């Protein structure tokens, strides 16, 4: 599939942005220093969990999500928190945001947000700036206009604007992807982005193993996004054995759009309907309790159950598959049951990713499924 055709047909893609968010230089240009902002320390410190952006280059817009499973995710801007919200909303313990006035992290739910001001951003058409004190928000509003709202409404706007922002920045994204393609084809070794569980893991491997030689940080970001957003899904579209998920299909358990996460897709088929899921964990929650999710099905009504092999991405029979529990690989909804057609592949994955248990379908219990959320 050509790059141009891919862009036209990429309805399955959750397109992330490759340009740094900064408030417009002519209006709001004070930049935070490293010591002013607390960063979550991970193997990919200072990289946005979703976009892979260097957090040093985004200021007064950082967010941190503290999750019930003990993990933290840090985002360069609300744009990326909104992109990830469906995946984390049931596990969020606290949301922190940087106060644009003091440059310190504060509780987002108690913050005052100035929305739709004249201060421009490069990730979203409409700016959303947080303050701990209402007086600071009013001062900013007086200078740049806009409305003052709470976090819940601001997040709603951020989620609502995702599609709008994708269209608004379409030309810039395509230009960036073309540059990433040129870098990949000119200096890189063979890289299969489907081998990686996340954009961050892909980016780390390229950097640490020098898969494209010595590469500047900016080009590393552009290249990584091309591989993750374009090449990965392009290869998936050409995979004839993959599970084909209709656009718009929602998981009946969590409400996420399954087509955005094709690598994790699973399904249960009945006489009247095919239910799609964004991972085996949610599929099994439905399997054990369909009535809890608004359906009158019983297990005997399930005519076919299919999952996606983690390595090949092939659609495979869920009842003959093998599953790894407790690894360091996360799906869209956090900890997952990672499926494999071959037991040998499952053992290899378990060894490489610190899996705790290898089980067959018949040994999956409701308790084991719900334990993954703890």
């Amino acid at each position: 599939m050509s790059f141009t055709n891919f862009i036209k047909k990429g309805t399955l893609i959750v397109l992330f942005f490759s340009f740094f968010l900064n408030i417009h230089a002519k209006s709001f240009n004070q930049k935070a220093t490293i010591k002013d902002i607390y960063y979550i320390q991970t193997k990919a410190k200072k990289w946005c969990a979703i976009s892979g952006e260097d957090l040093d280059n985004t200021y007064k817009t950082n967010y941190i999500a503290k999750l019930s499973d003990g993990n933290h995710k840090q985002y360069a801007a609300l744009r990326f928190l909104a992109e990830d919200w469906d995946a984390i909303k049931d596990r969020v313990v606290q949301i922190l945001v940087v106060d644009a006035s003091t440059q310190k992290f504060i509780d987002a739910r108690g913050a005052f947000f100035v929305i739709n001001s004249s201060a421009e951003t490069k990730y979203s058409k409409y700016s959303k700036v947080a303050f701990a004190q209402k007086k600071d928000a009013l001062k900013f509003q007086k200078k740049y206009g806009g409305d003052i709202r709470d976090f819940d409404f601001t997040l709603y706007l951020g989620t609502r604007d995702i599609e709008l922002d994708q269209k608004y920045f379409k030309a810039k994204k395509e230009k960036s992807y073309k540059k990433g393609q040129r870098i990949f084809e000119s200096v890189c070794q063979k890289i299969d982005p489907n081998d990686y569980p996340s954009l961050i893991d892909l980016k780390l491997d390229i950097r640490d193993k020098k898969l494209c030689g010595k590469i500047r940080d900016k080009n590393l970001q552009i290249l990584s996004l091309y591989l993750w957003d374009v090449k990965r899904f392009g290869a998936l579209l050409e995979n004839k054995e993959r599970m084909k998920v209709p656009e718009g299909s929602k998981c009946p358990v969590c409400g996420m759009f399954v087509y955005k996460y094709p690598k994790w897709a699973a399904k249960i088929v009945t006489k009247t309907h095919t239910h799609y899921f964004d991972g085996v964990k949610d599929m099994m929650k439905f399997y054990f309790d369909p009535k809890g999710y608004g359906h009158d099905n019983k297990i005997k009504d399930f005519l076919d159950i299919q999952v996606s092999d983690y390595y090949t991405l092939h659609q495979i029979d869920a009842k003959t598959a093998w599953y790894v529990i407790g690894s360091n690989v996360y799906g869209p909804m956090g900890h997952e049951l990672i499926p494999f057609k071959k037991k040998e592949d499952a053992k290899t994955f378990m060894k490489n990713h610190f899996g705790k248990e290898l089980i067959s379908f018949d040994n999956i219990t409701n308790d084991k499924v719900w334990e993954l959320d703890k």
Side-chain angles (χ1 to χ4, degrees), residues 15 25 30 42 55 70 102 114 121 152 173 194 296 318 325 350 355-356 361 364:
L15 291 172
Q30 181 182 356
T42 67
L55 296 172
T102 66
V114 180
T121 64
D152 288 338
K173 289 183 292 182
N194 285 303
D296 293 328
I325 296 177
M350 189 170 179
K356 295 180 180 178
F361 182 87
I364 299 174

Side-chain angles (χ1 to χ4, degrees), residues 31-149:
K31 185 173 182 178
T33 60
I34 301 303
K35 63 184 177 59
D36 291 322
I37 298 180
Y38 165 73
Y39 291 101
I40 296 300
Q41 295 301 308
T42 67
K43 62 180 181 179
K45 60 183 180 180
K46 300 177 183 176
W47 285 351
C48 174
I50 292 300
S51 70
E53 300 289 359
D54 189 333
L55 296 172
D56 294 351
N57 295 293
T58 62
Y59 59 97
K60 300 184 179 181
T61 55
N62 271 207
Y63 286 76
I64 293 175
K66 295 185 177 181
L67 308 180
S68 58
D69 56 12
N71 287 300
H72 296 69
K73 301 185 79 172
Q74 189 161 345
Y75 308 90
L78 180 70
R79 174 68 183 79
F80 300 114
L81 172 63
E83 191 84 51
D84 201 31
W85 187 249
D86 279 341
I88 67 170
K89 62 184 180 183
D90 294 330
R91 297 179 288 139
V92 170
V93 174
Q94 186 181 27
I95 298 290
L96 302 177
V97 62
V98 172
D99 178 350
S101 179
T102 66
Q103 301 180 27
K104 303 297 183 182
F105 273 105
I106 59 174
D107 190 330
R109 298 192 184 280
F112 300 89
F113 290 82
V114 180
I115 61 173
N116 302 332
S117 73
S118 62
E120 300 176 6
T121 64
K122 291 185 179 179
Y123 280 140
S124 181
K125 186 175 181 179
Y126 303 108
S127 64
K128 303 167 185 70
V129 185
F131 298 90
Q133 301 295 325
K134 190 172 184 179
K135 64 179 182 179
D136 292 329
L138 288 168
K139 183 178 179 181
F140 183 88
Q141 181 191 42
K142 183 177 180 180
K143 186 173 183 179
Y144 302 110
D147 301 312
I148 298 178
R149 304 301 295 261

Side-chain angles (χ1 to χ4, degrees), residues 224-331:
S224 300
L225 282 171
Y226 160 70
L227 291 171
W228 190 251
D229 291 350
V230 179
K231 191 170 179 61
R232 180 173 64 115
F233 282 94
L236 184 60
L237 289 172
E238 295 173 356
N239 187 336
K240 296 181 180 180
E241 301 298 322
R242 69 180 174 88
M243 187 179 299
K244 297 175 177 60
V245 181
E247 183 177 357
S249 297
K250 282 190 174 184
C251 174
V253 174
C254 70
M256 289 176 63
F257 286 106
V258 179
Y259 74 93
K260 292 184 177 181
Y261 306 94
K263 182 171 182 175
W264 301 93
K267 70 180 181 182
I268 292 177
V269 180
T270 69
K271 286 183 178 180
T272 59
H273 189 70
T274 298
H275 303 281
Y276 292 94
F277 306 87
D278 48 31
V280 176
K281 179 174 66 175
D282 277 1
M283 183 189 78
M284 295 309 298
K285 288 179 180 179
F286 184 90
Y287 177 84
F288 288 119
D289 183 26
K291 285 189 176 181
Y293 303 100
H295 295 272
D296 293 328
N297 302 122
K298 295 180 174 59
I299 290 179
K300 66 178 182 179
D301 299 325
F302 300 151
L303 304 179
D304 188 27
I305 306 176
Q306 300 282 326
V307 295
S308 299
D309 182 280
Y310 181 81
Y311 283 144
T312 68
L313 305 184
H314 291 177
Q315 177 176 272
I316 59 175
D317 186 342
K319 292 187 176 181
T320 61
W322 294 90
Y323 302 87
V324 174
I325 296 177
S327 73
N328 62 358
V329 173
Y330 293 83

Side-chain angles (χ1 to χ4, degrees), residues 184-197:
F184 174 68
E185 293 176 350
S186 61
V187 301
C188 294
Q189 302 175 30
K190 182 179 179 181
I191 301 173
D192 184 354
N194 285 303
D195 289 340
Y196 299 91

